[in-house]
Amino acid sequence: MSEEPPSTEYEVIVVGGGPAGMTAALYSTRLGHRTAVVSRGGGRAAMMQEVHNLLGVREETSGAEFLGIGREQLEEYGCDFYQDLVSSCSREEEGLIRLSGNNDDYDTEIVILATGFNDVRPEPPLPRTGRGLHYCLHCDAHMFVDKSVYVMGHSESAAHVAGIMLNFTDEVDLLTRGDDPEWSDETAGMLERHPIDVVHEDVTGVQNGDDGWLKALEFEDGTVREYRGGFAMYGAEYNNGLARELGCEINDDGTIEVGDHGQTSVEGVYAVGDCTPGHNQLPVGMGQGAKAGIDVHFRLRDFPRDSDILDEQGPVRSAEVPGIPDELLEQAVDFHTYD
Ligand SMILES: Cc1cc2nc3c(=O)[nH]c(=O)nc-3n(C[C@H](O)[C@H](O)[C@H](O)COP(=O)(O)OP(=O)(O)OC[C@H]3O[C@@H](n4cnc5c(N)ncnc54)[C@H](O)[C@@H]3O)c2cc1C
């Protein structure tokens, strides 16, 4: 009699329970593969006070609520969920990938990395995140139309974002906070020829309104400038440690190199969402998750069998179908049994 596989052995494990990873897991589970999500929780989606740019989801939905509903949906379809930090990983002799978490070890045929990145935060004092301090231009520029806005940073991309904000408002300050600008001469010329105030004094204080939103920033020369909000542009720390351990190709900026369907340079390893190149947006990450989940199904599904296997093993017996594991089959039948 064959031994039962350990309960933490899966066909597919997604590391990271943000929108990109959970979408990949949704497809993999509903397409009949034993799937788990291992996530420490938090992440960029969890920081959203309101969800923007996601058709069908109301703006007043918070990131926590959005992720909570996603997790419930996954569990209803039979995906397992572990709250754990995967701290290392390795390829086992049998070809499986072992993920070592703080609480347990997990073995899988396919791993999908959806580990995201952390925004580098500016030095204190800070406005309150989400009510005056923002990180995502495509998400939040719309809320600053015709308002006074700052962009904080001294990099090429900070200067670029200050220029972009002129599409939304005529009051844009670029705050270097005493750091030496790293932008090129050409970019300096761009700044000079656009109505952008470059302020070099450091920020020494923050004034918030009664609604909790930023009202003004105080500067070390004693001046006070009113702002509705702005963007911090200090870069990203990509969570690519597991990808590096598995030998995946990493781009110069720290993103994980992927193909059209999220395949990395290493067999059986996919990456989706903010840890890969592209626009860091919910619909984009979720689309990448969907593509990876479908691609994984193409690789793992049993039927129809290739003709060389049929030639070798003979025709498929009816006892061998359907190809879905028993527990997922039961869960699917229950799910679609309406009283
Ligand atoms: C404040 C803010 C507001 C935003 N608002 C919007 C918006 O309105 N609309 C929009 O389209 N986009 C918005 N974005 C962008 C959006 O949140 C991201 O593009 C999206 O969350 C990316 O999803 P993801 O699954 O790739 O990563 P994340 O959402 O960052 O999820 C990654 C997950 O992986 C986990 N993880 C990482 N490493 C490990 C590990 N080793 N082991 C276990 N778990 C691990 C993390 O803890 C986290 O739970 C916003 C971003 C921020 C910061």
Side-chain angles (χ1 to χ4, degrees), residues 4-5 24 27 40 42 75 146-148 156 164 170 197 220 251-252 276 282 299-300 336:
E4 280 284 302
Y27 275 81
R40 72 172 169 210
E75 288 179 330
D146 214 20
K147 302 270 194 291
S148 179
E156 190 70 41
I164 292 173
D170 60 358
D197 271 2
E220 61 184 351
N251 297 310
D252 289 345
T276 67
L282 298 169
R299 293 169 63 120
L300 292 180
H336 295 289

Side-chain angles (χ1 to χ4, degrees), residues 268-300:
V269 182
Y270 288 72
V272 295
D274 277 5
C275 62
T276 67
H279 300 296
N280 303 312
Q281 287 286 282
L282 298 169
V284 176
M286 293 165 80
Q288 291 171 339
K291 284 171 87 173
I294 291 170
D295 202 68
V296 162
H297 174 60
F298 289 167
R299 293 169 63 120
L300 292 180

Side-chain angles (χ1 to χ4, degrees), residues 241-319:
L242 300 174
R244 284 182 193 278
E245 257 187 281
L246 289 165
C248 302
E249 205 174 307
I250 307 289
N251 297 310
D252 289 345
D253 63 356
T255 53
I256 305 168
E257 175 66 17
V258 286
D260 279 352
H261 296 87
Q263 321 90 315
T264 68
S265 55
V266 173
E267 180 65 19
V269 182
Y270 288 72
V272 295
D274 277 5
C275 62
T276 67
H279 300 296
N280 303 312
Q281 287 286 282
L282 298 169
V284 176
M286 293 165 80
Q288 291 171 339
K291 284 171 87 173
I294 291 170
D295 202 68
V296 162
H297 174 60
F298 289 167
R299 293 169 63 120
L300 292 180
R301 65 187 176 197
D302 289 331
F303 304 110
R305 257 182 205 155
D306 288 345
S307 48
D308 51 344
I309 302 179
L310 291 169
D311 291 345
E312 194 186 309
Q313 299 180 359
V316 175
R317 288 170 290 115
S318 46

Side-chain angles (χ1 to χ4, degrees), residues 203-247:
V203 177
T204 50
V206 173
Q207 297 177 10
N208 287 314
D210 294 339
D211 58 359
W213 269 86
L214 176 70
K215 215 171 85 192
L217 293 178
E218 299 163 3
F219 293 84
E220 61 184 351
D221 62 357
T223 54
V224 175
R225 289 173 176 253
E226 290 193 0
Y227 299 111
R228 179 60 174 169
F231 296 90
M233 298 299 303
Y234 291 96
E237 285 165 357
Y238 288 92
N239 298 319
N240 58 20
L242 300 174
R244 284 182 193 278
E245 257 187 281
L246 289 165

